[in-house]
C-alpha cells in the first residue's frame, strides 16, 4: 500500500495494481507516466480525477464521453488499438479531459483527443481520433442541460 496527497481528493491509499501507465505521458505532460483514476463521488455518473502519482499537483478532471455525449462515435485508429494490445478495441475505455474554468459555463471537454486505456493491462495513451467532427474544446455548457444532464 502506498499513500499520496492528491490535488482534489486529499490523502489516499492505493496499490501498485491501480496505477495506469502512460508510456508517452499526456500531450504537454510527456514526463508524467503514472496516474490513478479516482472517482470524485460515489455516483456512477460522477467525473474522475486522473491523478499523477509522481507529481501531487498534476491532476485532471476526466469524464466518460459516452455519458456526456450519448451519440459519441469515436473512430479510434487501428494502430492505437494494436499499441494498447487490443486490436478489436473491446477492452478499451475512453476518457475525455475536462478543463474547468470560471465561470463554470466556460469549462470545456476534449472529445477529439481522448485517453484510451486498456481495462486489463492499465496501459493508456492519449490518442487522436480519425473523425474530425470533435474538437478539443467542446463547451461543457453546450453538452449539458440546466440540470447538468447530457442533452
Amino acid at each position: 500500500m502506498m499513500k499520496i496527497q492528491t490535488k482534489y481528493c486529499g490523502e489516499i491509499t492505493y496499490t501498485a495494481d491501480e496505477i495506469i501507465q502512460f508510456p508517452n505521458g499526456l500531450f504537454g505532460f510527456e514526463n508524467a507516466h503514472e496516474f490513478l483514476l479516482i472517482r470524485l463521488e460515489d455516483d456512477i455518473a460522477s467525473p474522475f480525477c486522473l491523478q499523477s502519482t509522481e507529481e501531487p499537483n498534476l491532476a485532471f478532471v476526466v469524464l466518460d464521453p459516452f455519458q456526456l455525449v450519448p451519440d459519441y462515435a469515436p473512430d479510434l485508429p487501428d494502430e492505437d488499438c494494436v499499441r494498447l494490445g487490443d486490436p478489436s478495441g473491446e477492452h478499451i475505455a475512453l476518457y475525455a479531459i475536462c478543463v474547468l474554468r470560471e465561470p463554470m459555463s466556460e469549462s470545456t471537454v476534449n472529445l477529439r483527443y481522448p485517453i484510451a486505456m486498456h481495462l486489463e493491462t492499465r496501459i493508456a495513451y492519449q490518442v487522436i481520433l480519425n473523425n474530425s467532427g470533435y474538437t478539443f474544446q467542446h463547451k461543457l455548457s453546450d453538452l449539458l442541460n440546466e440540470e447538468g444532464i447530457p442533452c
Side-chain angles (χ1 to χ4, degrees):
M1 296 291 257
M2 295 167 270
K3 288 185 181 188
I4 185 173
Q5 184 66 36
T6 68
K7 184 172 182 177
Y8 300 118
C9 304
E11 185 177 87
I12 64 164
T13 302
Y14 67 97
T15 61
D17 63 336
E18 294 176 88
I19 295 173
I20 300 166
Q21 296 288 334
F22 283 81
N24 296 343
L26 294 167
F27 299 155
F29 302 92
E30 288 79 8
N31 293 325
H33 299 282
E34 294 185 352
F35 288 83
L36 299 171
L37 192 63
I38 307 162
R39 190 172 293 281
L40 292 174
E41 297 174 10
D42 288 337
D43 180 7
I44 193 163
S46 164
F48 295 89
C49 172
L50 186 66
Q51 173 68 54
S52 169
T53 61
E54 301 152 313
E55 177 58 49
N57 288 323
L58 181 59
F60 303 92
V61 172
V62 296
L63 306 167
D64 177 341
F66 298 100
Q67 286 185 340
L68 189 62
V69 181
D71 62 349
Y72 187 58
D75 184 8
L76 191 61
D78 292 341
E79 60 268 17
D80 286 322
C81 292
V82 169
R83 179 169 63 156
L84 284 163
D86 186 8
S88 70
E90 66 186 61
H91 300 289
I92 296 174
L94 296 180
Y95 298 94
I97 295 176
C98 183
V99 177
L100 301 177
R101 295 189 167 93
E102 284 295 328
M104 191 60 104
S105 61
E106 295 299 311
S107 296
T108 59
V109 64
N110 184 342
L111 297 175
R112 174 80 170 149
Y113 308 118
I115 293 167
M117 179 183 80
H118 192 292
L119 293 168
E120 294 170 3
T121 65
R122 301 187 69 78
I123 301 294
Y125 293 93
Q126 190 169 11
V127 298
I128 300 172
L129 298 180
N130 286 328
N131 41 346
S132 60
Y134 302 111
T135 72
F136 65 94
Q137 289 187 324
H138 284 277
K139 275 199 165 181
L140 205 49
S141 60
D142 292 344
L143 300 172
L144 302 173
N145 66 22
E146 290 179 12
E147 291 79 39
I149 299 170
C151 299

